[in-house]
Amino acid sequence: MSDVSRSSPAGIRTAAVIPAAGRGVRLGPGAPKALRALNGTPMLIHAVRAMAASRAVSLVVVVAPPDGAAEVKSLLDAHALPERTDFLVVPGGDSRQESVKLGLDALPPGYDIVLVHDAARPLVPVDTVDAVIEAVRGGAVAVVPALPLADTVKQVEPAATPGEPEPVVATLERALLRAVQTPQGFDRATLIRAHETVTDNVTDDASMVEHLGLTVVVVPGHEEAFKVTRPLDLVLAEAVLARRRLNDGF
């Protein structure tokens, strides 16, 4: 396990914001996606532990469903979390973008680096978290972990009716493309400015920084940092946890 805290410049502290207010409709009816059990433990707890596993992260802010902050706070209190890390729960908004903004607003002074992490990526390894932090400490204002694409990617003309055949417009150069993961890391002031400035509907926070005309850099991601979106992803996540238990000897 890497420990970027030992080589960090004095006074630079890192906080992680985990938006967990979404319903996760693609996993079907029931509890919000972040509260679905994975090996008997809610995915959110796995994601919180993944951020707190980095010794550089001293605060984790969980953005709960607007009416579920008390429930999420009780959930955190009920599970063993690292004592060296502080935890804060705030109610979220109607969109992921709004929820991240509310999480940023709740950050106390003194945190120069902010990670934004999907609650639905519960198994990201600590080395990936540390690599993102290290890149921000190295001077990048925005950093995303990402993987090369295994599949050929084609651009299509979307069908007017879902399920209908779609004509191919172009085959994209796979070597130039990356599949982006989280946590994404930012200089705090830059991320705040992005959220105050960019009003377009975007799919991740790095895109907001791109809208400012600033450079976003990529560091290697990890295959275990996949997003749990569909029922089959839950099966894969359970398999990863089983392998980890076997490798760790418990």
Side-chain angles (χ1 to χ4, degrees), residues 106-130:
L107 286 181
Y111 292 91
D112 303 288
I113 297 174
V114 180
L115 305 179
V116 181
H117 183 58
D118 294 332
R121 296 184 190 271
L123 303 179
V124 57
V126 66
D127 286 351
T128 303
V129 181
D130 286 345

Side-chain angles (χ1 to χ4, degrees), residues 6-148:
R6 292 176 180 166
S7 60
S8 64
I12 293 184
R13 294 199 296 168
T14 300
V17 174
I18 302 180
R23 296 299 306 177
V25 293
R26 280 175 289 182
L27 276 177
K33 178 164 56 177
L35 303 185
R36 298 293 180 92
L38 181 58
N39 192 36
T41 300
M43 277 201 292
L44 176 60
I45 298 299
H46 287 285
V48 168
R49 286 173 174 165
M51 295 299 97
S54 171
R55 299 187 66 86
V57 175
S58 52
L59 171 66
V60 177
V61 178
V62 179
V63 187
D67 58 351
E71 179 186 1
V72 170
K73 177 68 165 59
S74 297
L75 196 67
L76 293 183
D77 291 340
H79 289 81
L81 299 171
E83 293 184 1
R84 67 172 183 270
T85 309
D86 293 327
F87 301 94
L88 181 63
V89 178
V90 298
D94 294 331
S95 67
R96 183 186 187 280
Q97 201 165 326
E98 184 180 351
S99 292
V100 173
K101 176 64 163 57
L102 290 169
L104 282 174
D105 291 343
L107 286 181
Y111 292 91
D112 303 288
I113 297 174
V114 180
L115 305 179
V116 181
H117 183 58
D118 294 332
R121 296 184 190 271
L123 303 179
V124 57
V126 66
D127 286 351
T128 303
V129 181
D130 286 345
V132 171
I133 296 170
E134 193 62 42
V136 180
R137 286 178 174 169
V141 297
V143 180
V144 297
L147 293 176

